[in-house]
């Protein structure tokens, strides 16, 4: 075991060059003893079958990790090191991206940009420290719309060193699928209607890979609920009838506990929200959980059902809040400001964009599957000229203007950012996020300290929009 830990130190410094490795070899024993514990996992991405509609119904052919949808929940403690070997048994290349985890660039899972894609039959081992506690997730970054849409995703939970005092810690992985009448996944991935509109919105919702029926709770119980939206494109807006959830973390990072606006928990694609919900109603009572995001398309997701015997008379009175993660605070006074314009899509004004360095009109773009642009550039691949190249250690404000008629959950890899304002009004909680949901025509300012070196993706997490050009890279050097 100690030998293995020495190997870990060497391996890590290898990534940052041989000079550093020589320095590591000279480390005194004391420093070596501080290597964080390593948790090992194995994931195999492969085609399989899942009973999305529940036992007794026809199974759906899916792609999953370790034969499961969602893939196995990876659960570690803050400060631990994770080593995950990923075997690709799919008929095409893949990678795994650790969404929201501030990994070293070489572990970020972006094909060609940070690693060679994992060929069918091959294995790649990811290894990184979990510096931040919180709710994260993992998914492929190759052909993402189809690979994630077929079921490749799983939760990655990093527990705080001191667990939050709750009775249960529950994860709900929310997904929506597009199924045909016979229960198969509709294979119209990447069709231009989805790409140019709201993305691939499905017709079948699952929680943790199955159609939810009821969720049993007990009077007096306090639950931490980790919501993870793994849908390609659907935004959820959960309403818990007669209950008052408190948001305690967003995208994994602690936020001042607060009630969601209008008691509706809005969670865009790829986002996570951690709630604390107190169960204060009478035994044997029943309450609906609604999804009320899209007007006219509200539906009842399932019911909370109270058990006959209470856990205690009333939920604990004391407030819960989480300790901050070790994030570098952006220096707003010294920050450089950058305008970022999101353009394109149906009902947009964009007439042309830069594609591979050439100006291309929107009709020709469309024929190539492109309809979105960031600062006038539509990206076809993961590797291209960076949108921004910034100095390591510097602070930046991105003033993002959504000039389209559609919602965009914009995700930055390798960092978390503070959401400073929306339409010019300061946000109440200056929340840390890695994915910020931007409404049609909305302007949002985010700020971050560029402290993680490498080339990082900045893209829309409506996976069809990403494929349709809404993708850029940010270089920190
Ligand atoms: Cu969750 Cu670049 O993605
Ligand atoms: Cu988008």
């Amino acid at each position: 075991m100690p030998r293995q830990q020495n190997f870990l130190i060497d391996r890590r410094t290898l990534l940052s060059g041989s000079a550093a490795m020589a320095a590591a070899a000279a480390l005194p024993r004391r420093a070596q003893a501080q290597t964080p514990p390593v948790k090992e996992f194995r994931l195999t991405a492969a085609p399989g079958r899942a009973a999305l509609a529940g036992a007794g119904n026809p199974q759906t052919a899916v792609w999953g990790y370790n034969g499961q949808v969602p893939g196995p929940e990876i659960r570690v403690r803050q400060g631990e090191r994770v080593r995950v070997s990923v075997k690709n048994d799919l008929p095409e290349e893949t990678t795994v991206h650790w969404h929201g985890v501030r990994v070293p660039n070489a572990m970020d899972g972006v094909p060609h940009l940070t690693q060679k894609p994992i060929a069918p039959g091959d294995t790649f081992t990811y290894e990184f420290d979990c510096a931040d506690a919180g709710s994260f997730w993992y998914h492929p970054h190759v052909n993402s719309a189809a690979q994630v849409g077929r079921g490749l995703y799983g939760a990655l939970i990093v527990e705080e060193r001191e667990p939050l005092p709750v009775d249960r810690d529950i994860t709900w992985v929310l997904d929506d699928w597009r199924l045909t009448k016979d229960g198969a996944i509709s294979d119209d991935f990447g069709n231009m209607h989805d790409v140019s509109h709201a993305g691939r919105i499905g017709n079948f919702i699952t929680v943790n890979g199955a159609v939810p029926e009821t969720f049993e709770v007990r009077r007096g119980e306090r639950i931490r609920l980790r919501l993870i939206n793994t849908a390609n494109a659907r935004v959820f807006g959960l309403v818990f009838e007669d209950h008052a959830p408190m948001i305690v973390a967003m995208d994994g990072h602690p936020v001042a506990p607060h009630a969601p606006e209008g008691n509706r928990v809005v969670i865009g694609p790829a986002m996570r929200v951690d709630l604390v919900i107190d169960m204060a109603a009478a035994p044997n009572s029943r309450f609906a959980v609604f999804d009320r995001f899209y007007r006219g398309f509200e539906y009842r997701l399932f019911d909370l059902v109270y058990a006959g015997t209470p856990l205690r008379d009333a939920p604990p009175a004391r407030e819960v809040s989480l300790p901050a993660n070790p994030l570098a605070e952006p220096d707003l006074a010294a920050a450089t400001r950058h305008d970022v314009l999101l353009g394109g899509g149906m009902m947009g004004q964009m007439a042309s964009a830069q594609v591979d360095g050439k100006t291309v009109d929107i009709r020709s773009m469309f024929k190539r599957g492109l309809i979105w642009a960031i600062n006038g550039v539509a990206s076809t691949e993961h590797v291209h000229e960076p949108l921004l190249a910034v100095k390591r250690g510097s602070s930046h404000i991105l003033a993002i203007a959504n000039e389209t008629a559609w919602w965009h959950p914009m995700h930055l890899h390798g960092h978390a950012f503070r959401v400073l304002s929306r339409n010019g009004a300061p946000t109440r909680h200056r929340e840390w996020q890695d994915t910020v949901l931007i409404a049609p025509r909305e302007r949002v300012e985010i700020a971050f300290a560029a402290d993680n070196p490498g080339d990082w993706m900045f893209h829309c997490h409506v996976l069809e929009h990403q494929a349709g050009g809404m993708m850029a890279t940010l270089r920190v050097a």
Side-chain angles (χ1 to χ4, degrees):
M1 205 53 199
R3 275 206 71 86
Q4 212 181 349
Q5 292 189 344
N6 290 347
F7 166 73
L8 282 174
I9 286 186
D10 289 350
R11 198 189 136 137
R12 189 183 187 196
T13 48
L14 242 174
L15 301 172
S16 56
S18 52
M21 190 171 76
L27 277 180
R29 286 226 152 262
R30 240 176 314 124
Q32 291 187 1
Q34 286 168 3
T35 309
V38 181
K39 288 267 178 77
E40 299 219 33
F41 301 90
R42 258 170 233 288
L43 294 176
T44 301
R49 304 189 73 77
L52 301 177
N57 287 298
Q59 296 206 330
T60 301
V62 297
W63 288 3
Y65 293 110
N66 297 5
Q68 293 167 238
V69 172
E73 181 173 290
I74 296 179
R75 214 173 233 273
V76 297
R77 193 52 78 75
Q78 185 172 17
E80 282 179 333
R81 172 168 271 241
V82 172
R83 186 187 298 147
V84 191
S85 74
V86 177
K87 170 101 199 292
N88 181 8
D89 280 345
L90 301 170
E92 63 185 46
E93 294 178 336
T94 194
T95 59
V96 177
H97 170 60
W98 311 93
H99 186 116
V101 184
R102 297 182 297 131
V103 300
N105 194 250
M107 297 291 116
D108 201 40
V110 180
H112 308 293
L113 188 70
T114 70
Q115 72 169 98
K116 212 163 98 244
I118 314 170
D122 281 2
T123 297
F124 183 89
T125 301
Y126 294 90
E127 188 168 322
F128 50 87
D129 295 330
C130 295
D132 300 324
S135 306
F136 305 99
W137 65 296
Y138 59 91
H139 64 79
H141 222 288
V142 174
N143 191 15
S144 305
Q147 292 196 8
V148 177
R150 289 186 190 280
L152 287 168
Y153 54 78
L156 167 54
I157 306 297
V158 184
E159 297 174 342
E160 293 80 23
R161 292 187 175 94
E162 284 293 316
L164 202 63
V166 293
D167 297 302
R168 277 194 288 165
D169 181 333
I170 307 268
T171 305
W172 285 359
V173 178
L174 307 168
D175 195 10
D176 91 326
W177 307 74
R178 186 179 290 171
L179 299 184
T180 61
K181 274 205 207 72
D182 42 356
I185 293 176
S186 162
D187 62 5
D188 59 339
F189 288 105
N191 76 69
M192 279 311 278
H193 185 272
D194 289 344
V195 171
S196 59
H197 293 76
R200 180 182 172 95
I201 304 278
N203 53 11
F204 193 83
I205 310 294
T206 57
V207 177
N208 298 337
V211 177
E213 282 163 29
T214 57
F215 180 70
E216 189 164 296
V217 301
R218 296 170 75 186
R219 178 184 169 86
E221 195 178 24
R222 173 167 280 181
I223 294 178
R224 176 183 190 160
L225 193 54
R226 303 169 185 267
L227 304 174
I228 305 178
N229 182 353
T230 63
N232 283 33
R234 179 183 293 270
V235 182
F236 289 88
L238 298 192
V239 175
F240 296 79
E241 184 186 19
D242 286 344
H243 286 67
M246 296 293 281
I247 297 178
V248 296
M250 298 173 75
D251 289 352
H253 302 290
V255 62
H258 62 279
E261 219 182 292
N263 210 30
R264 187 179 72 154
V265 184
V266 173
I267 171 167
M271 291 170 58
R272 289 85 63 214
V273 174
D274 285 35
L275 302 174
V276 168
I277 312 189
D278 287 337
M279 301 300 167
N284 297 315
S285 56
R286 196 176 176 113
F287 302 88
V289 179
F290 298 102
D291 175 5
R292 290 196 174 138
F293 186 75
Y294 301 99
R295 191 168 302 161
F297 294 92
E298 296 91 345
Y299 61 98
R300 169 190 290 242
L301 185 61
F302 59 152
D303 283 348
L304 299 182
V305 176
Y306 277 71
T309 33
L311 179 66
R312 53 175 85 85
D313 277 350
R318 101 184 171 79
E319 271 234 1
V320 279
S321 66
L322 293 162
N325 276 325
L327 295 161
E329 194 62 54
D331 178 352
L332 295 183
T336 314
R337 200 185 154 84
H338 312 269
D339 285 318
V340 177
L341 305 185
L342 309 180
M346 276 301 155
M347 295 175 277
Q349 261 83 61
M350 195 174 84
S352 65
Q354 297 288 310
V355 181
D356 299 331
K358 288 188 211 70
T359 305
V360 175
D361 67 86
I362 194 100
R363 272 164 188 248
S364 325
M365 279 174 68
F366 198 86
K367 286 194 199 123
R368 297 173 58 176
L370 298 169
I371 183 111
W372 304 97
I374 301 181
N375 284 0
V377 178
S379 292
T380 48
E381 303 288 343
H382 288 89
V383 183
H384 40 76
E385 274 302 297
L387 170 77
L388 278 179
V390 305
K391 262 241 202 73
R392 183 177 183 181
S394 57
S395 291
H396 300 272
I397 295 173
L398 303 187
I400 309 172
N402 178 2
E403 299 184 330
T404 80
W406 306 92
W407 291 83
H408 304 292
M410 296 303 297
H411 173 45
L412 175 62
H413 286 211
H415 298 77
F417 48 78
R418 279 199 186 275
V419 183
L420 300 181
S421 74
R422 289 182 181 271
N423 288 332
T427 54
R428 245 180 88 200
H429 301 287
R430 290 208 159 196
E431 54 274 18
W432 288 105
Q433 303 239 246
D434 56 58
T435 308
V436 60
L437 184 61
I438 309 181
R441 314 280 172 207
E442 192 179 27
R443 289 173 295 117
V444 173
E445 287 177 307
I446 64 173
F448 67 100
D451 61 351
N452 199 355
D455 280 1
W456 302 102
M457 301 301 305
F458 174 65
H459 65 86
C460 181
H461 222 290
V462 169
L463 299 173
E464 293 70 30
H465 292 178
Q466 180 193 357
M470 198 174 264
M471 173 163 69
T473 52
L474 206 137
R475 177 167 297 160
V476 179

